[in-house]
Structure formats: structure tokens, C-alpha cells
Amino acid sequence: MLSVLQRVRSARVEVAGETVGAIGLGLLVLVCAERGDTTAQAEKLLARVLKLRVFADEAGRMNRSVQDVAGGLLIVSQFTLAADTRGGNRPSFSAAAPPDEGRRLYDHFVALARAAHPVVQTGIFAADMQVHLVNDGPVTVPLRVDPP
């Protein structure tokens, strides 16, 4: 599974002009399931997201996790993270999981997040979403958990 994390001061997702998810301080978590991914990858990815130390401590060093700062998670499905642009100007998304499998893994990731963390908001899988954020830093970190 792939993810891009953005440390945010605030973020929200709109669908058809309606806000469907919003957080203050925390992480915007863009998530993509790839072909061959299993629930094990989702579990490992969430563990890394929750423990990744990208928030400042008293000395200003990135030494605190989203859990340490009681920040929110805004989880948004984004199959385009699997884009392969090596073949030209039009990206190929063949590495992304098929939609039904991607939805199953995304839903599993969200359910695990909600069980492990108090503030979890989401976008809507496969919807046309507008994501608004105030990137803090900016801090943007890619994460990948490869299939076994």
C-alpha cells in the first residue's frame, strides 16, 4: 500500500460542494491500495502513520507522532498514487488495485484507524473530491508497505 502524508494545520474534503470530512491539526493521509496488497499491508501502514514522528517537540525537532499531539487524521482514497509515468506523458494506473479490492482495503484501513485513534475523518471512496489543506511546514512524507 502507498500513502502520502501531509502534516496540516487544517484540512477538509468536499464532495458536490458539501464538506464530508474535516480536521484541525493533524495528518492528511492519501491512501492507495496496489494489486496484491492485503489487510496485512493496511495494518502495517496504519501502524507507521500513527507512530511517524513529524510533529515538533519543545525543542522544535520532529519528534512527536499524531498520537502524541492528539491530532486528527483525514483519510482520503487516491488511486493515482500508483501512477506509472515511465512510458510517456499519460500515466498508467495498472498497478492500482481494482476498485472493489481498493475499496475493501481502504474501508479496512479506515476501520482500523477509527479503532486506534480518536479523531478520524474521511473522504468518499471513488468520489470526485476537492481537498483543501493548510500544509504545515510544509511536511509531506511518502510511505509504502510492500506486499510480502
Side-chain angles (χ1 to χ4, degrees):
M1 284 188 86
L2 299 167
S3 182
V4 170
L5 308 178
Q6 294 183 298
R7 186 179 73 187
V8 298
R9 298 226 175 147
S10 63
R12 74 180 190 281
V13 177
E14 294 179 357
V15 175
E18 301 275 332
T19 297
V20 297
I23 62 169
L25 177 75
L27 295 173
L28 171 61
V29 183
L30 306 172
V31 178
C32 174
E34 294 181 285
R35 291 184 184 275
D37 281 343
T38 66
T39 56
Q41 277 78 43
E43 292 160 11
K44 288 178 186 175
L45 182 61
L46 179 64
R48 293 195 62 203
V49 167
L50 293 175
K51 303 253 184 251
L52 193 68
R53 297 184 305 175
V54 294
F55 291 90
D57 63 13
E58 304 81 26
R61 295 185 54 172
M62 287 197 293
N63 210 19
R64 291 193 172 146
S65 70
V66 70
Q67 291 180 314
D68 295 334
V69 299
L73 297 176
L74 178 55
I75 303 171
V76 176
S77 62
Q78 189 169 350
F79 79 93
T80 60
L81 292 178
D84 181 354
T85 58
R86 294 175 293 177
N89 295 325
R90 185 170 189 213
S92 168
F93 301 107
S94 61
D100 58 335
E101 188 64 13
R103 180 184 300 271
R104 186 182 71 77
L105 290 168
Y106 172 77
D107 289 345
H108 183 69
F109 185 87
V110 169
L112 291 171
R114 287 189 166 137
H117 195 71
V119 180
V120 176
Q121 296 282 305
T122 67
I124 297 176
F125 187 89
D128 179 18
M129 295 178 274
Q130 288 69 54
V131 180
H132 305 264
L133 68 137
V134 177
N135 198 323
D136 184 19
V139 173
T140 303
V141 178
L143 290 178
R144 171 179 237 134
V145 175
D146 291 322

